[in-house]
PDB file of all heavy atoms in Angstrom:
ATOM      1  N   ALA A   1     -18.026  18.324   9.075  1.00  0.00           N
ATOM      2  CA  ALA A   1     -17.869  16.887   9.339  1.00  0.00           C
ATOM      3  C   ALA A   1     -17.085  16.215   8.212  1.00  0.00           C
ATOM      4  O   ALA A   1     -16.197  15.383   8.454  1.00  0.00           O
ATOM      5  CB  ALA A   1     -19.235  16.228   9.500  1.00  0.00           C
ATOM      6  N   ARG A   2     -17.427  16.576   6.957  1.00  0.00           N
ATOM      7  CA  ARG A   2     -16.719  15.982   5.820  1.00  0.00           C
ATOM      8  C   ARG A   2     -15.257  16.398   5.816  1.00  0.00           C
ATOM      9  O   ARG A   2     -14.359  15.604   5.532  1.00  0.00           O
ATOM     10  CB  ARG A   2     -17.400  16.402   4.515  1.00  0.00           C
ATOM     11  CG  ARG A   2     -16.798  15.749   3.284  1.00  0.00           C
ATOM     12  CD  ARG A   2     -17.646  15.969   2.043  1.00  0.00           C
ATOM     13  NE  ARG A   2     -17.749  17.398   1.711  1.00  0.00           N
ATOM     14  CZ  ARG A   2     -18.827  18.128   1.893  1.00  0.00           C
ATOM     15  NH1 ARG A   2     -19.923  17.589   2.418  1.00  0.00           N
ATOM     16  NH2 ARG A   2     -18.845  19.414   1.557  1.00  0.00           N
ATOM     17  N   LEU A   3     -15.023  17.673   6.146  1.00  0.00           N
ATOM     18  CA  LEU A   3     -13.655  18.167   6.215  1.00  0.00           C
ATOM     19  C   LEU A   3     -12.845  17.415   7.257  1.00  0.00           C
ATOM     20  O   LEU A   3     -11.722  16.973   7.012  1.00  0.00           O
ATOM     21  CB  LEU A   3     -13.666  19.656   6.530  1.00  0.00           C
ATOM     22  CG  LEU A   3     -12.301  20.312   6.802  1.00  0.00           C
ATOM     23  CD1 LEU A   3     -11.412  20.202   5.589  1.00  0.00           C
ATOM     24  CD2 LEU A   3     -12.482  21.771   7.223  1.00  0.00           C
ATOM     25  N   SER A   4     -13.423  17.245   8.435  1.00  0.00           N
ATOM     26  CA  SER A   4     -12.724  16.543   9.520  1.00  0.00           C
ATOM     27  C   SER A   4     -12.455  15.096   9.157  1.00  0.00           C
ATOM     28  O   SER A   4     -11.349  14.576   9.342  1.00  0.00           O
ATOM     29  CB  SER A   4     -13.553  16.619  10.799  1.00  0.00           C
ATOM     30  OG  SER A   4     -12.939  15.904  11.843  1.00  0.00           O
ATOM     31  N   SER A   5     -13.474  14.418   8.601  1.00  0.00           N
ATOM     32  CA  SER A   5     -13.315  13.015   8.222  1.00  0.00           C
ATOM     33  C   SER A   5     -12.294  12.853   7.106  1.00  0.00           C
ATOM     34  O   SER A   5     -11.442  11.951   7.144  1.00  0.00           O
ATOM     35  CB  SER A   5     -14.670  12.450   7.786  1.00  0.00           C
ATOM     36  OG  SER A   5     -14.538  11.108   7.367  1.00  0.00           O
ATOM     37  N   ALA A   6     -12.373  13.724   6.101  1.00  0.00           N
ATOM     38  CA  ALA A   6     -11.448  13.626   4.974  1.00  0.00           C
ATOM     39  C   ALA A   6     -10.017  13.891   5.419  1.00  0.00           C
ATOM     40  O   ALA A   6      -9.084  13.199   5.003  1.00  0.00           O
ATOM     41  CB  ALA A   6     -11.863  14.608   3.878  1.00  0.00           C
ATOM     42  N   ARG A   7      -9.836  14.883   6.270  1.00  0.00           N
ATOM     43  CA  ARG A   7      -8.485  15.179   6.750  1.00  0.00           C
ATOM     44  C   ARG A   7      -7.913  14.015   7.550  1.00  0.00           C
ATOM     45  O   ARG A   7      -6.746  13.659   7.403  1.00  0.00           O
ATOM     46  CB  ARG A   7      -8.513  16.447   7.611  1.00  0.00           C
ATOM     47  CG  ARG A   7      -8.591  17.740   6.815  1.00  0.00           C
ATOM     48  CD  ARG A   7      -8.615  18.936   7.721  1.00  0.00           C
ATOM     49  NE  ARG A   7      -8.546  20.192   6.965  1.00  0.00           N
ATOM     50  CZ  ARG A   7      -8.663  21.394   7.499  1.00  0.00           C
ATOM     51  NH1 ARG A   7      -8.863  21.524   8.814  1.00  0.00           N
ATOM     52  NH2 ARG A   7      -8.582  22.484   6.743  1.00  0.00           N
ATOM     53  N   THR A   8      -8.746  13.409   8.391  1.00  0.00           N
ATOM     54  CA  THR A   8      -8.287  12.272   9.192  1.00  0.00           C
ATOM     55  C   THR A   8      -7.904  11.095   8.302  1.00  0.00           C
ATOM     56  O   THR A   8      -6.853  10.468   8.477  1.00  0.00           O
ATOM     57  CB  THR A   8      -9.387  11.841  10.177  1.00  0.00           C
ATOM     58  OG1 THR A   8      -9.713  12.939  11.033  1.00  0.00           O
ATOM     59  CG2 THR A   8      -8.924  10.660  11.019  1.00  0.00           C
ATOM     60  N   ALA A   9      -8.785  10.792   7.320  1.00  0.00           N
ATOM     61  CA  ALA A   9      -8.519   9.668   6.429  1.00  0.00           C
ATOM     62  C   ALA A   9      -7.280   9.910   5.582  1.00  0.00           C
ATOM     63  O   ALA A   9      -6.429   9.018   5.406  1.00  0.00           O
ATOM     64  CB  ALA A   9      -9.732   9.417   5.527  1.00  0.00           C
ATOM     65  N   LEU A  10      -7.142  11.130   5.067  1.00  0.00           N
ATOM     66  CA  LEU A  10      -5.974  11.441   4.246  1.00  0.00           C
ATOM     67  C   LEU A  10      -4.687  11.396   5.052  1.00  0.00           C
ATOM     68  O   LEU A  10      -3.659  10.907   4.583  1.00  0.00           O
ATOM     69  CB  LEU A  10      -6.141  12.811   3.596  1.00  0.00           C
ATOM     70  CG  LEU A  10      -7.061  12.875   2.368  1.00  0.00           C
ATOM     71  CD1 LEU A  10      -7.229  14.314   1.903  1.00  0.00           C
ATOM     72  CD2 LEU A  10      -6.515  12.015   1.234  1.00  0.00           C
ATOM     73  N   ALA A  11      -4.736  11.903   6.266  1.00  0.00           N
ATOM     74  CA  ALA A  11      -3.547  11.872   7.122  1.00  0.00           C
ATOM     75  C   ALA A  11      -3.137  10.436   7.447  1.00  0.00           C
ATOM     76  O   ALA A  11      -1.952  10.083   7.417  1.00  0.00           O
ATOM     77  CB  ALA A  11      -3.812  12.656   8.411  1.00  0.00           C
ATOM     78  N   ARG A  12      -4.143   9.604   7.747  1.00  0.00           N
ATOM     79  CA  ARG A  12      -3.854   8.197   8.040  1.00  0.00           C
ATOM     80  C   ARG A  12      -3.279   7.487   6.816  1.00  0.00           C
ATOM     81  O   ARG A  12      -2.295   6.742   6.913  1.00  0.00           O
ATOM     82  CB  ARG A  12      -5.131   7.510   8.514  1.00  0.00           C
ATOM     83  CG  ARG A  12      -4.921   6.047   8.900  1.00  0.00           C
ATOM     84  CD  ARG A  12      -6.153   5.466   9.564  1.00  0.00           C
ATOM     85  NE  ARG A  12      -7.340   5.570   8.714  1.00  0.00           N
ATOM     86  CZ  ARG A  12      -8.355   6.377   8.949  1.00  0.00           C
ATOM     87  NH1 ARG A  12      -8.358   7.176  10.001  1.00  0.00           N
ATOM     88  NH2 ARG A  12      -9.403   6.403   8.128  1.00  0.00           N
ATOM     89  N   GLU A  13      -3.880   7.714   5.658  1.00  0.00           N
ATOM     90  CA  GLU A  13      -3.395   7.085   4.425  1.00  0.00           C
ATOM     91  C   GLU A  13      -2.007   7.593   4.053  1.00  0.00           C
ATOM     92  O   GLU A  13      -1.157   6.843   3.596  1.00  0.00           O
ATOM     93  CB  GLU A  13      -4.378   7.367   3.284  1.00  0.00           C
ATOM     94  CG  GLU A  13      -3.990   6.768   1.948  1.00  0.00           C
ATOM     95  CD  GLU A  13      -4.026   5.254   1.931  1.00  0.00           C
ATOM     96  OE1 GLU A  13      -4.532   4.656   2.912  1.00  0.00           O
ATOM     97  OE2 GLU A  13      -3.545   4.665   0.957  1.00  0.00           O
ATOM     98  N   GLN A  14      -1.785   8.878   4.294  1.00  0.00           N
ATOM     99  CA  GLN A  14      -0.482   9.444   3.981  1.00  0.00           C
ATOM    100  C   GLN A  14       0.605   8.842   4.865  1.00  0.00           C
ATOM    101  O   GLN A  14       1.702   8.526   4.390  1.00  0.00           O
ATOM    102  CB  GLN A  14      -0.510  10.965   4.153  1.00  0.00           C
ATOM    103  CG  GLN A  14       0.737  11.670   3.632  1.00  0.00           C
ATOM    104  CD  GLN A  14       0.577  13.167   3.610  1.00  0.00           C
ATOM    105  OE1 GLN A  14      -0.347  13.709   4.218  1.00  0.00           O
ATOM    106  NE2 GLN A  14       1.455  13.857   2.912  1.00  0.00           N
ATOM    107  N   ARG A  15       0.315   8.667   6.138  1.00  0.00           N
ATOM    108  CA  ARG A  15       1.299   8.045   7.042  1.00  0.00           C
ATOM    109  C   ARG A  15       1.580   6.606   6.626  1.00  0.00           C
ATOM    110  O   ARG A  15       2.731   6.164   6.593  1.00  0.00           O
ATOM    111  CB  ARG A  15       0.792   8.100   8.482  1.00  0.00           C
ATOM    112  CG  ARG A  15       0.808   9.493   9.113  1.00  0.00           C
ATOM    113  CD  ARG A  15       0.602   9.411  10.612  1.00  0.00           C
ATOM    114  NE  ARG A  15      -0.678   8.815  10.952  1.00  0.00           N
ATOM    115  CZ  ARG A  15      -1.798   9.506  11.120  1.00  0.00           C
ATOM    116  NH1 ARG A  15      -1.800  10.821  10.946  1.00  0.00           N
ATOM    117  NH2 ARG A  15      -2.927   8.897  11.457  1.00  0.00           N
ATOM    118  N   ARG A  16       0.510   5.849   6.310  1.00  0.00           N
ATOM    119  CA  ARG A  16       0.689   4.448   5.909  1.00  0.00           C
ATOM    120  C   ARG A  16       1.473   4.340   4.613  1.00  0.00           C
ATOM    121  O   ARG A  16       2.381   3.517   4.476  1.00  0.00           O
ATOM    122  CB  ARG A  16      -0.674   3.785   5.744  1.00  0.00           C
ATOM    123  CG  ARG A  16      -0.611   2.278   5.511  1.00  0.00           C
ATOM    124  CD  ARG A  16      -1.946   1.739   5.048  1.00  0.00           C
ATOM    125  NE  ARG A  16      -2.262   2.236   3.717  1.00  0.00           N
ATOM    126  CZ  ARG A  16      -1.788   1.700   2.606  1.00  0.00           C
ATOM    127  NH1 ARG A  16      -0.960   0.688   2.652  1.00  0.00           N
ATOM    128  NH2 ARG A  16      -2.122   2.199   1.431  1.00  0.00           N
ATOM    129  N   LEU A  17       1.129   5.209   3.684  1.00  0.00           N
ATOM    130  CA  LEU A  17       1.797   5.180   2.388  1.00  0.00           C
ATOM    131  C   LEU A  17       3.261   5.598   2.504  1.00  0.00           C
ATOM    132  O   LEU A  17       4.140   5.010   1.873  1.00  0.00           O
ATOM    133  CB  LEU A  17       1.058   6.100   1.419  1.00  0.00           C
ATOM    134  CG  LEU A  17       1.473   6.034  -0.049  1.00  0.00           C
ATOM    135  CD1 LEU A  17       1.283   4.631  -0.593  1.00  0.00           C
ATOM    136  CD2 LEU A  17       0.663   7.021  -0.865  1.00  0.00           C
ATOM    137  N   ALA A  18       3.524   6.596   3.321  1.00  0.00           N
ATOM    138  CA  ALA A  18       4.908   7.045   3.513  1.00  0.00           C
ATOM    139  C   ALA A  18       5.754   5.941   4.136  1.00  0.00           C
ATOM    140  O   ALA A  18       6.905   5.726   3.737  1.00  0.00           O
ATOM    141  CB  ALA A  18       4.929   8.300   4.389  1.00  0.00           C
ATOM    142  N   ALA A  19       5.178   5.227   5.111  1.00  0.00           N
ATOM    143  CA  ALA A  19       5.912   4.123   5.747  1.00  0.00           C
ATOM    144  C   ALA A  19       6.173   3.003   4.747  1.00  0.00           C
ATOM    145  O   ALA A  19       7.281   2.450   4.670  1.00  0.00           O
ATOM    146  CB  ALA A  19       5.125   3.596   6.942  1.00  0.00           C
ATOM    147  N   ALA A  20       5.145   2.648   3.960  1.00  0.00           N
ATOM    148  CA  ALA A  20       5.302   1.581   2.976  1.00  0.00           C
ATOM    149  C   ALA A  20       6.306   1.965   1.898  1.00  0.00           C
ATOM    150  O   ALA A  20       7.139   1.150   1.477  1.00  0.00           O
ATOM    151  CB  ALA A  20       3.949   1.246   2.343  1.00  0.00           C
ATOM    152  N   LEU A  21       6.243   3.211   1.454  1.00  0.00           N
ATOM    153  CA  LEU A  21       7.169   3.668   0.421  1.00  0.00           C
ATOM    154  C   LEU A  21       8.595   3.715   0.941  1.00  0.00           C
ATOM    155  O   LEU A  21       9.544   3.323   0.247  1.00  0.00           O
ATOM    156  CB  LEU A  21       6.734   5.048  -0.084  1.00  0.00           C
ATOM    157  CG  LEU A  21       7.482   5.622  -1.285  1.00  0.00           C
ATOM    158  CD1 LEU A  21       7.435   4.653  -2.459  1.00  0.00           C
ATOM    159  CD2 LEU A  21       6.901   6.965  -1.690  1.00  0.00           C
ATOM    160  N   GLY A  22       8.753   4.168   2.178  1.00  0.00           N
ATOM    161  CA  GLY A  22      10.093   4.172   2.767  1.00  0.00           C
ATOM    162  C   GLY A  22      10.665   2.775   2.894  1.00  0.00           C
ATOM    163  O   GLY A  22      11.841   2.540   2.597  1.00  0.00           O
ATOM    164  N   SER A  23       9.821   1.840   3.328  1.00  0.00           N
ATOM    165  CA  SER A  23      10.271   0.454   3.457  1.00  0.00           C
ATOM    166  C   SER A  23      10.619  -0.140   2.094  1.00  0.00           C
ATOM    167  O   SER A  23      11.626  -0.842   1.946  1.00  0.00           O
ATOM    168  CB  SER A  23       9.165  -0.371   4.123  1.00  0.00           C
ATOM    169  OG  SER A  23       9.519  -1.731   4.189  1.00  0.00           O
ATOM    170  N   ALA A  24       9.788   0.155   1.085  1.00  0.00           N
ATOM    171  CA  ALA A  24      10.034  -0.380  -0.247  1.00  0.00           C
ATOM    172  C   ALA A  24      11.318   0.185  -0.842  1.00  0.00           C
ATOM    173  O   ALA A  24      12.100  -0.534  -1.477  1.00  0.00           O
ATOM    174  CB  ALA A  24       8.849  -0.083  -1.165  1.00  0.00           C
ATOM    175  N   ARG A  25      11.540   1.466  -0.641  1.00  0.00           N
ATOM    176  CA  ARG A  25      12.775   2.067  -1.162  1.00  0.00           C
ATOM    177  C   ARG A  25      14.002   1.526  -0.445  1.00  0.00           C
ATOM    178  O   ARG A  25      15.057   1.325  -1.062  1.00  0.00           O
ATOM    179  CB  ARG A  25      12.697   3.589  -1.010  1.00  0.00           C
ATOM    180  CG  ARG A  25      11.783   4.249  -2.043  1.00  0.00           C
ATOM    181  CD  ARG A  25      11.609   5.722  -1.785  1.00  0.00           C
ATOM    182  NE  ARG A  25      10.844   6.365  -2.850  1.00  0.00           N
ATOM    183  CZ  ARG A  25      10.298   7.565  -2.768  1.00  0.00           C
ATOM    184  NH1 ARG A  25      10.416   8.260  -1.632  1.00  0.00           N
ATOM    185  NH2 ARG A  25       9.633   8.078  -3.780  1.00  0.00           N
ATOM    186  N   ALA A  26      13.883   1.294   0.856  1.00  0.00           N
ATOM    187  CA  ALA A  26      14.999   0.708   1.601  1.00  0.00           C
ATOM    188  C   ALA A  26      15.291  -0.703   1.112  1.00  0.00           C
ATOM    189  O   ALA A  26      16.457  -1.093   0.964  1.00  0.00           O
ATOM    190  CB  ALA A  26      14.676   0.693   3.093  1.00  0.00           C
ATOM    191  N   ALA A  27      14.226  -1.484   0.847  1.00  0.00           N
ATOM    192  CA  ALA A  27      14.413  -2.838   0.331  1.00  0.00           C
ATOM    193  C   ALA A  27      15.071  -2.809  -1.041  1.00  0.00           C
ATOM    194  O   ALA A  27      15.964  -3.614  -1.338  1.00  0.00           O
ATOM    195  CB  ALA A  27      13.070  -3.558   0.256  1.00  0.00           C
ATOM    196  N   GLN A  28      14.662  -1.877  -1.878  1.00  0.00           N
ATOM    197  CA  GLN A  28      15.264  -1.762  -3.204  1.00  0.00           C
ATOM    198  C   GLN A  28      16.745  -1.391  -3.093  1.00  0.00           C
ATOM    199  O   GLN A  28      17.594  -1.953  -3.797  1.00  0.00           O
ATOM    200  CB  GLN A  28      14.518  -0.720  -4.036  1.00  0.00           C
ATOM    201  CG  GLN A  28      15.108  -0.534  -5.439  1.00  0.00           C
ATOM    202  CD  GLN A  28      14.369   0.509  -6.245  1.00  0.00           C
ATOM    203  OE1 GLN A  28      13.222   0.816  -5.952  1.00  0.00           O
ATOM    204  NE2 GLN A  28      15.012   1.063  -7.253  1.00  0.00           N
ATOM    205  N   ALA A  29      17.053  -0.445  -2.205  1.00  0.00           N
ATOM    206  CA  ALA A  29      18.451  -0.040  -2.020  1.00  0.00           C
ATOM    207  C   ALA A  29      19.292  -1.207  -1.517  1.00  0.00           C
ATOM    208  O   ALA A  29      20.441  -1.399  -1.950  1.00  0.00           O
ATOM    209  CB  ALA A  29      18.525   1.132  -1.047  1.00  0.00           C
ATOM    210  N   ALA A  30      18.732  -2.005  -0.595  1.00  0.00           N
ATOM    211  CA  ALA A  30      19.459  -3.161  -0.072  1.00  0.00           C
ATOM    212  C   ALA A  30      19.717  -4.176  -1.184  1.00  0.00           C
ATOM    213  O   ALA A  30      20.808  -4.761  -1.273  1.00  0.00           O
ATOM    214  CB  ALA A  30      18.675  -3.813   1.063  1.00  0.00           C
TER     215      ALA A  30
END
């Protein structure tokens, strides 16, 4: 259960963070 929950939370956080980082880098480049 902990493995499943941790993997789900990490995957969700990783997707959110990747999107935010991509947007921030694009804004910086602009």
Side-chain angles (χ1 to χ4, degrees):
R2 184 169 63 253
L3 173 62
S4 177
S5 178
R7 282 180 174 174
T8 301
L10 282 175
R12 182 171 57 250
E13 180 67 10
Q14 189 171 14
R15 288 193 299 270
R16 188 193 68 82
L17 189 59
L21 187 56
S23 176
R25 284 174 174 165
Q28 179 181 339

